[in-house]
Structures are given as C-alpha cells and as structure tokens.
Amino acid sequence: GIPAGIDLVIYTPAIPKEHAELQYFRDNNFPLMKRAEVLGLISRNRKTIAVAGTHGKTTTSSIVTYILRTCGIDCTAFLGGIALNFDSNFVSGTSEWVVMEADEFDRSFLQLNPHIAVVTSMDADHLDIYGNHEEMKSTYLKFMGQVREHLLLCNGLQADTTVFE
C-alpha cells in the first residue's frame, strides 16, 4: 500500500502518463513534481556539477562523484543508474556540492542552474522531442548558457560563444 503522510511524489518522464500509480496520485490530489523540477530547485541552492550529453552521463557523473568523495568532498549525487561502488543511484553527502545528471530527454536540463557543467556529446537523439538535430543542439546551447562558472566540453565539441554574451 501507499504510506500515509506523503509530502511530495517525484516522477520522471520515463513513467508513462497513463501509468496506474501516477494516475492514482493525480486523481487523489497528491503534490507531484517532475524529477527535473526538483533537481532544478536543488541546483539553485547548492554548488552543482551537472553532466549532460547523449552518451556517458551516468559514467561521467559517477566518476566525478567518486573523485570528489575520494578527495574529501562529501558531495551528494543524483545518478542516472546504480553505481556499483555506491550501490545506489543516490549518494547522500554533507558538503555544499551536488553532482547530477543533466537529462536532455524532454529539455529537463533547462531546469538546472549548475556552477559547473560537463557536456560529453551531442549526437542526434530524442528527435521525437526536438524534431531535428539542429533544434537539439540549440537546446544544448541554451543549457550551456545557464552555467554559472565553468563549462567543460568533451570529444571536440564546440559551443557558439554568442550564447554566453
């Protein structure tokens, strides 16, 4: 059963809109928020490292989390898959730093305001959402423009510098 006293139900776009449990929460007026919205709220109040890209987000965000924690920074992390060394996709930490995957699927990453972002790749993906590769790249550039301090681009990627003016 569903426990009493639920403050918030967080869901991802991977859950179909007609899913029975999600529909139950809607029908019974539970407060609902998309995962991206919650991560956006967190990224506004914490020093955030966001990892975006059509490939490599889970691996890269797991490595960044491991490096920070090994160096003594007790970061929190929201990973896109179960990291074997953490035995979870969530890592609870006590520092001001948080690592999170910046998911491009339904433009979710536009909810984030990271201090640092890594973009691993921008191959054509989710064209059912974007329509074409150019629109997808344009949305990535918009995300890059939201980065507060440092942007790291991998694999020879280039950002249109006019985005940052």
Side-chain angles (χ1 to χ4, degrees), residues 100-112:
M100 57 181 64
E101 290 194 23
D103 189 8
E104 78 282 357
F105 169 67
D106 61 350
R107 295 178 173 86
S108 289
F109 61 178
L110 296 180
Q111 300 280 337
L112 306 179

Side-chain angles (χ1 to χ4, degrees), residues 37-150:
E37 293 174 294
V38 173
L39 292 178
L41 293 171
I42 292 167
S43 75
R44 286 177 188 88
N45 297 310
R46 306 275 299 273
K47 290 206 174 248
T48 301
I49 301 172
V51 180
T54 51
H55 309 289
K57 290 185 296 287
T58 300
T59 301
T60 305
S61 58
S62 297
I63 291 169
V64 169
T65 301
Y66 175 80
I67 290 169
L68 289 173
R69 293 177 76 83
T70 300
C71 292
I73 299 171
D74 189 30
C75 66
T76 297
F78 297 90
L79 308 173
I82 305 298
L84 295 179
N85 54 333
F86 299 119
D87 197 30
S88 181
N89 63 342
F90 173 70
V91 181
S92 180
T94 59
S95 79
E96 64 183 334
W97 286 97
V98 61
V99 177
M100 57 181 64
E101 290 194 23
D103 189 8
E104 78 282 357
F105 169 67
D106 61 350
R107 295 178 173 86
S108 289
F109 61 178
L110 296 180
Q111 300 280 337
L112 306 179
N113 293 284
H115 286 78
I116 300 170
V118 177
V119 179
T120 62
S121 57
M122 290 190 293
D123 297 332
D125 200 7
H126 305 301
L127 298 184
D128 55 321
I129 301 293
Y130 292 102
N132 59 58
H133 192 201
E134 290 306 311
E135 178 62 24
M136 190 202 81
K137 289 193 286 189
S138 174
T139 305
Y140 266 87
L141 290 173
K142 188 173 181 182
F143 166 72
M144 292 176 201
Q146 294 175 189
V147 177
R148 296 186 216 179
E149 293 179 18
H150 303 287

